[in-house]
Amino acid sequence: MRKILFTLIVFVAAAGIVCAQPKGGKGGGNQAQAIKQVKPGLYLITGAGGNSTIRVTGEGIILVDGKLPAEGNYDKLMELIKSVSNQPIKYMFLTHHHQDHTGNDDKFLALGIPLIAHENLKSNLVTYAATPKPAPPSVTYSKDYTVKLGGVTVEAHHYGPAHTSGDTVVYFPDLKVVALSDELGVGTPPGSRAPLADYAGGGSLVQWPAALDAALKLDWDLAIPGNDDPQPRSYVQSYRDNIAKFVDRAKAAVKMGVPKDQLMAAIKTEDLPFKINLQPAALDGFYDELSKTK
Ligand SMILES: [Zn+2]
């Protein structure tokens, strides 16, 4: 039992790293794809990278995120979409630049589908060290972007940096569902997946709670995370509160003069469901933003 638990912890940790610094198609998040209905007209496809969300309308499909790069991942995703609708994909949203969400951009662009993303996603891709590098989006926005298709409205919102500087929250107002992607971590047990701020990609732990606060102001009852199953508002609120606790304690420690190399050890985390132990590059970014905001 102890061995199984340890393996689970290692897997969850590895899955996080795959999202921030993908090393290719191997590692966490590479399990088989599966489709499930979230609400009528809305489906979630798990596996082969981050979650993909599918909104079916009478005039076509709106897709959110497209899995890790691989012909097989793309083929399986398309097969699962076809299992619930024969409509073509008309629009695609990208929630951030990590390749477990953007890995097959080139194939969707080749179909002539507009790939919509925040403008910072496009600039993050320029310096993103992933092989193959995801193709850039064809449509970018700065604050909000709305798509109307078949009588359905889907909204993209950018609420500042959190997981990356180019995060998009996708809102389905008629169904009261929001796709938060990697701004919401779940894990096993739920709550254990730590918030992973990709500092190289402009992410921010300090500003993360504000981004979730903005998303919580929308009217919804289910939130789709970047991995794992949809969660109720209460889960998102407590995830947000736990990040805020961690950040507040870190701020207090910096204010008291705790040096960077002792910061992680100085933050009390026993009462939090996740563990955060930032490694040098991310720690530099976190310490910098804490120093600026005290
Ligand atoms: Zn990510």
Side-chain angles (χ1 to χ4, degrees), residues 19 96 98 100-101 163 182:
C19 197
H96 61 287
H98 294 153
D100 49 334
H101 303 258
H163 180 56
D182 288 328

Side-chain angles (χ1 to χ4, degrees), residues 242-264:
N242 286 328
I243 298 171
K245 273 183 203 166
F246 182 84
V247 169
D248 287 347
R249 290 168 193 177
K251 267 186 201 165
V254 169
K255 211 169 188 174
M256 280 168 53
V258 173
K260 198 192 294 182
D261 62 346
Q262 289 168 31
L263 180 63
M264 286 298 114

Side-chain angles (χ1 to χ4, degrees), residues 75-93:
D75 291 346
K76 184 67 186 175
L77 176 63
M78 295 303 260
E79 181 192 318
L80 290 174
I81 293 171
K82 285 201 174 69
S83 75
V84 295
S85 170
N86 285 322
Q87 295 278 352
I89 301 169
K90 291 283 182 69
Y91 298 95
M92 181 171 178
F93 287 103

Side-chain angles (χ1 to χ4, degrees), residues 95-250:
T95 61
H96 61 287
H97 68 285
H98 294 153
Q99 70 173 174
D100 49 334
H101 303 258
T102 56
N104 299 293
D105 282 5
D106 54 338
K107 300 179 188 67
F108 295 105
L109 286 168
L111 294 177
I113 299 165
L115 261 59
I116 306 157
H118 188 261
E119 58 196 13
N120 291 346
L121 182 152
K122 196 171 186 176
S123 50
N124 280 335
L125 279 178
V126 175
T127 49
Y128 185 44
T131 310
K133 191 180 281 223
S138 54
V139 178
T140 58
Y141 74 96
S142 62
K143 185 90 188 73
D144 311 289
Y145 191 93
T146 300
V147 161
K148 288 182 197 279
L149 182 69
V152 167
T153 298
V154 178
E155 300 173 11
H157 298 288
H158 174 68
Y159 294 131
H163 180 56
T164 73
S165 62
D167 291 358
T168 285
V169 164
V170 182
Y171 179 44
F172 305 93
D174 58 334
L175 297 178
K176 300 197 175 192
V177 175
V178 69
L180 294 177
S181 191
D182 288 328
E183 288 195 1
L184 184 67
V186 182
T188 311
S192 62
R193 188 179 169 107
L196 201 160
D198 174 3
Y199 280 92
S204 166
L205 277 171
V206 169
Q207 296 185 70
W208 199 311
L212 288 181
D213 281 340
L216 279 158
K217 286 198 179 111
L218 301 171
D219 181 21
W220 51 265
D221 52 42
L222 269 184
I224 300 175
N227 288 270
D228 303 312
D229 288 330
Q231 301 294 325
R233 291 183 74 87
S234 56
Y235 179 89
V236 178
Q237 185 67 53
S238 85
Y239 191 74
R240 177 254 173 241
D241 292 346
N242 286 328
I243 298 171
K245 273 183 203 166
F246 182 84
V247 169
D248 287 347
R249 290 168 193 177

